[in-house]
Amino acid sequence: MTKNTLLPITLAAFTVASALPTFAEEKVELLYSDTVSEQDARTQVLKSAFGECLTDDFDLQTHHGATLFSQGTEMVAMQRGNLDMASLAIFDFYNQVPETSILGAAYMFRDYDHMRRVFDGDVLNELYQKIEDRTGIKILANPYIGTRHISLNNDDVVMTPSDLEGVKLRMPPGEGWQFVGEALGANPTPIPFTEVYTALQTGAIDGQDNPLPANYSMKFYEVSEQTILTGHLIAANQFSISSRKWNSLNAEQQDTLKTCAMNFQNELDKLALDQEAELISYFEEEGLNIYTPDKEAFRSHVLEQYENSEYSDDWPKGLYEAINAL
């Protein structure tokens, strides 16, 4: 067969190939789990500030109200490859990275601005790297969710840690969380976030500690008599992705995730700060007694408890001083 007889066949094959449909690249699935409910304002910020920020490269699938993974189990699910992303608490890292307990210590941060300088500066770079190396989890952002205060379902006045003696105070499950309750002077009781309302209502616990926005969204104020503005934890979640998923992304996709995660942090910070500015008067109108205790008594007592505990033994050398200096 001559070259001339081959030419029409070759052209015909090229024409057919050109007519075949082209298939778009498969989207990157991001499976996300959260303890807060679908109706929570934080969920709406996640979907708008993070989800809508993502490009068409991504398919974000979110699950809320601990319907996919229960509180405290998300990190293990990420390590096993069953989950891509979650908003973790710093205590979730404790068993594998004990050094992280310094960031969950009550009264470690003076206020919101101090907390933000710590998380957004360079002082934690070495600790972030330890977290990623040991757990296979990469922290993308640290959005503020509010300052934690104590709420009780009785009217016993609390001014100092000694006033919390014998009080059954719900704390999130986990060793580090339980020590926070103990350091405050209470009898800590581990109960999942989604079960707190019923526990307050039935008297299974005397109180709980959460930021004001969480008290509002979960309606804890309906089954409480008072909120004591202890301000013991300036709380930020660790908005995280598994290293396995992160390493599967190209540089452009990684940049997109980082940008959108910071967008989420900025918007959630604003939401929490705005809500905190408005909620005290709202709760007072709903009949709650809200007052400020002797915060210096709480602060000095709590930090002394940490100083004499095994937790401070794990703190990276010099980091406490570096944080205080900011």
Side-chain angles (χ1 to χ4, degrees):
M1 188 178 289
T2 66
K3 289 183 180 180
N4 288 339
T5 58
L6 279 172
L7 185 59
I9 298 174
T10 304
L11 288 172
F14 176 77
T15 302
V16 172
S18 300
L20 290 174
T22 56
F23 295 95
E25 278 190 38
E26 190 174 340
K27 290 187 176 185
V28 176
E29 179 182 297
L30 295 175
L31 185 61
Y32 174 89
S33 177
D34 207 325
T35 300
V36 301
S37 71
E38 185 78 33
Q39 294 73 37
D40 195 291
R42 285 177 282 178
T43 299
Q44 308 316 311
V45 173
L46 172 77
K47 291 183 177 181
S48 60
F50 181 71
E52 292 177 12
C53 171
L54 295 174
T55 64
D56 290 338
D57 285 350
F58 298 94
D59 175 20
L60 178 65
Q61 300 177 17
T62 66
H63 298 263
H64 300 275
T67 54
L68 187 62
F69 293 100
S70 59
Q71 185 178 29
T73 66
E74 301 96 337
M75 191 174 87
V76 173
M78 293 167 74
Q79 291 173 318
R80 291 176 175 172
N82 298 324
L83 183 65
D84 299 317
M85 299 188 67
S87 287
L88 303 174
I90 198 63
F91 289 120
D92 291 334
F93 298 99
Y94 174 71
N95 286 336
Q96 297 178 47
V97 192
E99 296 93 329
T100 56
S101 65
I102 191 171
L103 299 179
Y107 296 106
M108 180 58 60
F109 304 125
R110 294 185 293 274
D111 51 30
Y112 165 81
D113 290 331
H114 182 218
M115 177 276 297
R116 186 49 66 219
R117 287 196 298 274
V118 172
F119 278 119
D120 290 355
D122 297 329
V123 71
L124 298 180
N125 286 354
E126 187 175 334
L127 185 56
Y128 285 150
Q129 192 59 55
K130 284 183 181 178
I131 290 172
E132 189 169 355
D133 290 343
R134 295 186 197 171
T135 68
I137 303 294
K138 182 177 183 64
I139 297 174
L140 296 175
N142 298 276
Y144 175 64
I145 60 171
T147 296
R148 298 179 82 99
H149 306 289
I150 293 174
S151 295
L152 301 178
N153 59 7
N154 58 57
D155 56 8
D156 295 340
V157 176
V158 174
M159 295 302 296
T160 66
S162 62
D163 295 325
L164 286 175
E165 184 177 356
V167 170
K168 293 179 290 184
L169 184 68
R170 177 269 175 182
M171 299 299 295
E175 185 181 341
W177 282 115
Q178 297 306 295
F179 186 76
V180 172
E182 184 181 329
L184 287 167
N187 179 20
T189 304
I191 293 178
F193 185 64
T194 52
E195 299 174 18
V196 173
Y197 186 100
T198 302
L200 284 168
Q201 188 176 44
T202 61
I205 54 174
D206 302 313
Q208 54 89 25
D209 89 311
N210 262 299
L212 299 180
N215 289 344
Y216 174 75
S217 65
M218 297 299 287
K219 302 186 183 298
F220 296 152
Y221 65 92
E222 294 180 346
V223 285
S224 300
E225 294 292 331
Q226 61 172 313
T227 293
I228 306 109
L229 300 175
T230 49
H232 51 277
L233 277 175
I234 314 295
N237 278 343
Q238 282 59 59
F239 189 61
S240 305
I241 186 170
S242 73
S243 296
R244 180 181 321 190
K245 175 63 73 171
W246 177 258
N247 293 333
S248 72
L249 306 178
N250 61 42
E252 183 178 352
Q253 291 168 335
Q254 290 178 347
D255 286 342
T256 297
L257 272 186
K258 286 189 287 188
T259 298
C260 295
M262 290 308 298
N263 191 47
F264 173 51
Q265 174 179 293
N266 294 338
E267 291 302 311
L268 195 54
D269 279 23
K270 183 178 184 302
L271 172 69
L273 291 168
D274 288 348
Q275 286 184 320
E276 287 180 314
E278 300 170 354
L279 282 173
I280 288 181
S281 59
Y282 174 82
F283 289 149
E284 287 177 331
E285 290 172 3
E286 291 295 309
L288 260 67
N289 181 25
I290 300 181
Y291 58 94
T292 301
D294 185 343
K295 290 183 72 171
E296 184 51 41
F298 269 99
R299 185 177 186 278
S300 59
H301 178 268
V302 166
L303 291 178
E304 182 181 0
Q305 299 303 303
Y306 272 97
E307 185 179 345
N308 296 325
S309 75
E310 62 182 17
Y311 293 95
S312 61
D313 294 339
D314 296 322
W315 294 355
K317 186 175 181 180
L319 185 54
Y320 177 71
E321 292 76 15
I323 288 173
N324 271 335
L326 290 175

